[in-house]
Structure formats: structure tokens, C-alpha cells
Amino acid sequence: MAVSAILMGLTGVILSFFPQKVANALGLGGLNAIFFQILGALYFGFAMLNWTAKANLMGGIYSRPVAIGNFTHFLIGGLALIKFAFEDINLALFGVGAAIYLTFAILFGYVLFTGPVFAESGSLKVDDLNER
């Protein structure tokens, strides 16, 4: 959670404060900068969500909306980046982004589709939750 929060936070700050430079670096200009700024706000908002939820128990019903949102974002984003990277060989950098995105998608998918794991030495176990 903390790693994804930091990654999204940095991306959000860059896109929020330097949208024109990012648009120009990608060969886009004009009105595209406003879309990058809005995208930066989205990334920063997701970063804040992940940062504040990083101490919560993930998996099962606990923090499930956070896991669903992150899994969906990273899976769809990763697939889109793969498609974009294969369209033009000069866009290999998007392949690196796709690898990062799909790694997070796998990790959040694991969290989403498995239950929480408690330490054996801890006083609370999954069976204890089912009895309550």
C-alpha cells in the first residue's frame, strides 16, 4: 500500500504541477495539458486513499473497496499500456510502465481474492472472526 501510494503520489504531483511540460514531452500540447492536470488530481487522490488505508487489514471484507479500486485501476491501466506499447516499437517505455502496473494488479488481485492472514502467534485468527 505504501509503495503504490508513493508511486501514485509522485505521479500525481508531477502531472498536477507540470501538465504542460508532460504534454509537450509526449508531443501533445494545447488542451491536453488540462487532462494531464485532472489525471494528476486523480492519481494524488488515489495516493491519499492508499496512504491512509495502509495500516488497515486488507483482504476479506475489510478494506475491500480499496482493494477493488486499486486492482481495477492497475489491471485496466496495465492492459492499456501493453496495448499501447505493442502498437509502436518506439514506445518501449510504456512496456516498463505496463510491467509496473501489472505487478501491482497481481498484488492487489491477491489481496482482493484471498482472506486476511494472521500471524500464528497472534491472539486473533480467521476462525475467531467467523465465530463472532
Side-chain angles (χ1 to χ4, degrees), residues 34-53:
I34 189 69
F35 293 111
F36 285 116
Q37 195 164 19
I38 293 169
L39 184 63
L42 176 77
Y43 270 105
F44 195 77
F46 232 125
M48 293 297 97
L49 173 71
N50 286 347
W51 187 259
T52 57

Side-chain angles (χ1 to χ4, degrees), residues 62-77:
Y62 307 101
S63 298
R64 190 167 183 85
V66 175
I68 290 171
N70 278 287
F71 174 69
T72 304
H73 168 78
F74 284 114
L75 180 65
I76 294 171

Side-chain angles (χ1 to χ4, degrees), residues 7-115:
L7 180 68
M8 285 191 199
L10 289 173
T11 304
V13 167
I14 290 168
L15 291 175
S16 293
F17 290 104
F18 307 108
Q20 192 67 42
K21 291 189 184 288
V22 172
N24 289 340
L26 294 174
L28 307 168
L31 294 178
N32 291 317
I34 189 69
F35 293 111
F36 285 116
Q37 195 164 19
I38 293 169
L39 184 63
L42 176 77
Y43 270 105
F44 195 77
F46 232 125
M48 293 297 97
L49 173 71
N50 286 347
W51 187 259
T52 57
K54 73 181 180 343
N56 294 352
L57 179 66
M58 295 296 290
I61 61 170
Y62 307 101
S63 298
R64 190 167 183 85
V66 175
I68 290 171
N70 278 287
F71 174 69
T72 304
H73 168 78
F74 284 114
L75 180 65
I76 294 171
L79 293 175
L81 286 168
I82 285 175
K83 179 183 172 195
F84 198 64
F86 280 120
E87 286 181 4
D88 187 352
I89 196 68
N90 294 328
L91 300 175
L93 184 61
F94 286 97
V96 174
I100 293 169
Y101 257 69
L102 291 176
T103 299
F104 277 113
I106 291 167
L107 294 173
F108 279 110
Y110 177 77
V111 167
L112 178 63
F113 296 112
T114 61

